[in-house]
Amino acid sequence: MHREQLLHLLQRHQAPFIEEAGFRRRALDFVRRHPDCFNCDLLPAHVTGSAWVLSPDRERALMLLHGKHNRWFQPGGHADGQADILQVALREVHEETGLAREHIRLVAEDVFDLDIHTIPASPEFPQHDHIDVRFLVEIDDRLEIPGSHESHAVLWVPLQHVSRYNNNRSCWRMVEKSRRLRTAEHVDDPVPAHRVPGPGTRPGY
């Protein structure tokens, strides 16, 4: 994916929330002005890729306890100069869950969500922004998830409980989009998909 392809994805992305529409305008302007937008050394911002991972029944989201920040997030990370941000997102899912790529199903090539958030200063980098381009991914929640050294824990979290782990507005936005998606899919398919029994969260490993 060349930078022009990312611009095309951003242009066609329908942002249903007012703050996301603002992020979209800012992202388009930034990517147009910076050919090296995928370089993690670019400051004061750079493009990152992540994935919102849902179970097949759309009832659960996969959350990881980030090893560096000690907070719960969706899989994602730096592009490291790779211009295909979709492949960056899929790579991060593979690396952070420890699952083989054949178990990771891309639901759509369109952008699922777009967020711009500030990363606090660290010994390595000053404070800067991540322009995070997010894609929707599906993983069978019956699979054992090995995890990786990058995460302290991995959990399948029911959508209604996601805010207990991450109550940021961007996470709420993806949960709301997931609920709308689930409703739309159930309208199209009146026979509910298989649901894994048992209430509450289940450890991935």
Side-chain angles (χ1 to χ4, degrees):
M1 182 185 293
H2 188 269
R3 182 169 59 107
E4 292 299 325
Q5 292 174 288
L6 174 57
L7 286 171
H8 176 69
L9 282 177
L10 293 173
Q11 287 166 345
R12 63 184 287 180
H13 178 53
Q14 300 296 315
F17 299 95
I18 188 168
E19 75 272 13
E20 190 184 6
F23 295 151
R24 176 179 171 273
R25 289 191 294 271
R26 288 173 58 189
L28 280 166
D29 178 66
F30 183 86
V31 174
R32 285 174 179 141
R33 290 188 293 108
H34 294 89
D36 55 346
C37 61
F38 302 103
N39 190 333
C40 63
D41 293 326
L42 176 64
L43 298 174
H46 43 259
V47 172
T48 58
S50 67
W52 184 244
V53 182
L54 292 178
S55 57
D57 61 8
R58 309 294 186 251
E59 298 284 350
R60 303 170 190 261
L62 190 68
M63 306 290 291
L64 299 89
L65 183 57
H66 196 282
K68 182 177 180 180
H69 300 290
N70 201 36
R71 295 184 60 191
W72 292 92
F73 296 110
Q74 74 279 3
H78 285 118
D80 296 324
Q82 183 177 351
D84 191 334
I85 202 64
L86 170 56
Q87 290 304 315
V88 170
L90 294 175
R91 180 195 72 201
E92 291 296 319
V93 177
H94 164 65
E95 292 179 354
E96 295 187 356
T97 65
L99 284 174
R101 291 180 183 270
E102 58 263 28
H103 295 306
I104 301 167
R105 188 180 80 84
L106 179 66
V107 176
E109 293 188 358
D110 292 328
V111 174
F112 180 68
D113 189 77
L114 180 68
D115 193 68
I116 300 180
H117 50 268
T118 300
I119 304 300
S122 70
E124 295 82 16
F125 289 99
Q127 178 177 293
H128 60 280
D129 287 342
H130 279 180
I131 301 173
D132 197 36
V133 185
R134 299 158 171 184
F135 298 88
L136 184 60
V137 166
E138 177 186 296
I139 290 176
D140 187 341
D141 56 347
R142 295 170 296 181
L143 292 172
E144 179 181 355
I145 299 180
S148 76
H149 68 280
E150 297 183 27
S151 303
H152 295 312
V154 181
L155 285 178
W156 281 108
V157 182
L159 290 181
Q160 66 268 29
H161 296 158
V162 167
S163 62
R164 299 180 185 178
Y165 295 83
N166 186 321
N167 63 356
N168 286 345
R169 173 76 181 180
S170 76
C171 208
W172 172 88
R173 199 169 57 235
M174 291 190 288
V175 167
E176 182 61 26
K177 290 178 180 181
S178 302
R179 288 174 173 151
R180 296 180 186 185
L181 177 66
R182 183 178 60 193
T183 299
E185 289 180 343
H186 286 184
V187 168
D188 293 337
D189 181 9
V191 179
H194 169 74
R195 280 165 172 68
V196 178
T201 60
R202 293 195 292 115
Y205 65 97

